[in-house]
Amino acid sequence: MSTHSTHGTRSGASGPEGEGGPGRRPGRRALLAGLTGAGAVAGSLALGGQSALAAPAAVAAGAGGYVVDVVAKGADPTGATPSDTAFREAVAEVLAGAPETGVTPGKVLLIPPGTYLLTQPDSLLPATQNTDRTKQSVIDGISITGFGKRLSRIVYAPTVRDTVFWRNMDRYRNIRISGLTFESQDATATFNYSYSSKTFGVQDTWYTDVDWRGTWKAGIVLDGPTANSNLNSEMGWDHCQISGSYADAFLVMGGTPTEQQQDQFLNFSFRDCKVEFQSGVFVRNERGGSMNFIGGSYILVDAKSTGTFFKLGANSPRADSVMRLYAQGIRFEIRGPGHKVIDSSWYKGSITFVSCDDTARSFESWVDDTVVPHVYRFDAVNPSRGPVIRYQDCALLGSHQVTSGTATTAGKLLYDGSRFANRSEGTGAAGFLRWTGPAPWYEFRDCLVKGVRLPDAKVP
């Protein structure tokens, strides 16, 4: 597992933070100094500057070496013409000096307000694969920033179908992408393919204030080499918005699910995100991993579609590793009978929901006995095993379903201090918790059904 810090400064840094000391990220003054033309005006306003007129003076003083502006390289902010060439020239300047060992880009790729049309894959970052085992040619530390969701907008309309917008082939690490909207106009396009190994890795990729829109085949697909279990693929999403539609899923953990090595997808965090997509799957995890989902609003928008927030597979054969999903403080809204919060085939590990609520549509007429937004398949891999599943202080609609092949020897469902909005019974064929096959191990503690206390129960 990676030990790289997501907030570390470069070695040899000196001087006050943000004032241009060696090795430091640019501060407000330096960033403004690097802006030119329309970018300078927007930059001063966006960063709370007193006046955009101060920027040219700073540039004249020679302080503007931290930023590469795509408009200055010829990008068209109206979206009328493709900007692939300008983006490639800009990022080539950002990456100057890389990828020798220890070299970190010293500039930020800046995308001023506007709409930019890209028609070719790999225009955001080049997709060269890291194969140099002597130099370990990893590019460590990349910042790509716009001025906020829907202010700086990149439209991907590839001329060839089934392409990947940008790829990380064991090459880039410690990436920060912020303040941007990415919109696909091709339903066969994938936003990112990340191929990661324990030798190099793609860990510490963070998206902040980023918005995905349009029609995609997939958002981010994680993959790795054969016979390699530590894929070093830590990623985070902070105040992002996932919209549009996905033929596969927004996040695919296990791009080659038949490979046994796809087992160490660790440390993935979604914080205060708006997940409001039309159809498809939000997270499809084929092998296991460790995932945190904290806060935010999760909505399946199209009532007539099918869709699932968490689709957890358990393909075999596989190495035995962590299986962990933690969701806290999320408001789930499912708008049709074809929608699910979770569909899990994990045979071990833990699945925890704390203070979550999926009852927004509990008053609808279609919310009846056929609505099963939480499904657990204990018999998918081992006929008697499942994860420990806990609902604490949650509000839940419809019913939950468990399938088991034989009597459960591992795995349990625990409902603690939760409220059930629709069912008047507790368990069994017509209750809130239902099962196919032998009864699973379950427990109800201090729960309410339609405002009436449900008797505590523990079986067996």
Side-chain angles (χ1 to χ4, degrees), residues 285 310-315 323 342-348 351 375-382 385-387 403:
N285 186 322
F310 307 125
K311 178 75 171 176
L312 309 180
N315 289 281
M323 293 181 179
I342 186 168
D343 188 339
S344 170
S345 295
W346 280 2
Y347 63 89
K348 69 162 202 173
I351 296 172
V375 176
Y376 297 99
R377 309 177 194 276
F378 282 20
D379 61 344
V381 175
N382 186 312
R385 297 188 63 191
T403 59

Side-chain angles (χ1 to χ4, degrees), residues 421-432:
N422 300 100
R423 301 304 305 159
S424 58
E425 302 90 354
T427 60
F432 168 79

Side-chain angles (χ1 to χ4, degrees), residues 36 38-39 68-91 109-118 123-124 152-155:
T36 58
V68 181
D69 184 337
V70 295
V71 173
K73 294 292 185 180
D76 179 3
T78 71
T81 58
S83 294
D84 298 270
T85 299
F87 270 68
R88 291 181 180 188
E89 289 181 1
V91 77
L109 180 65
L110 181 72
I111 303 170
T115 296
Y116 303 88
L117 174 64
L118 298 181
S123 292
L124 187 68
S152 298
R153 180 168 167 259
I154 296 175
V155 174

Side-chain angles (χ1 to χ4, degrees), residues 39-190:
V41 177
S44 180
L45 295 176
L47 295 171
Q50 296 178 354
S51 171
L53 298 178
V59 173
Y66 292 110
V67 174
V68 181
D69 184 337
V70 295
V71 173
K73 294 292 185 180
D76 179 3
T78 71
T81 58
S83 294
D84 298 270
T85 299
F87 270 68
R88 291 181 180 188
E89 289 181 1
V91 77
E93 181 176 337
V94 169
L95 300 180
E100 292 99 4
T101 302
V103 171
T104 299
K107 297 183 179 182
V108 172
L109 180 65
L110 181 72
I111 303 170
T115 296
Y116 303 88
L117 174 64
L118 298 181
T119 63
Q120 303 298 321
D122 306 320
S123 292
L124 187 68
L125 285 168
T128 54
Q129 184 165 4
N130 186 4
T131 57
D132 189 339
R133 296 307 194 243
T134 58
K135 287 188 176 181
Q136 294 193 10
S137 49
V138 169
I139 301 174
D140 197 350
I142 296 174
S143 292
I144 301 173
T145 185
F147 283 77
K149 294 192 292 278
R150 295 178 290 282
L151 290 176
S152 298
R153 180 168 167 259
I154 296 175
V155 174
Y156 185 49
T159 56
V160 178
R161 292 175 66 79
D162 202 16
T163 60
V164 178
F165 176 64
W166 79 280
R167 291 173 288 172
N168 191 351
M169 305 300 292
D170 233 3
R171 173 71 78 184
Y172 306 113
R173 191 166 55 195
N174 293 319
I175 305 168
R176 301 294 179 270
I177 298 177
S178 62
L180 290 165
T181 287
F182 295 100
E183 178 180 330
S184 169
Q185 295 186 353
D186 177 14
T188 68
T190 295

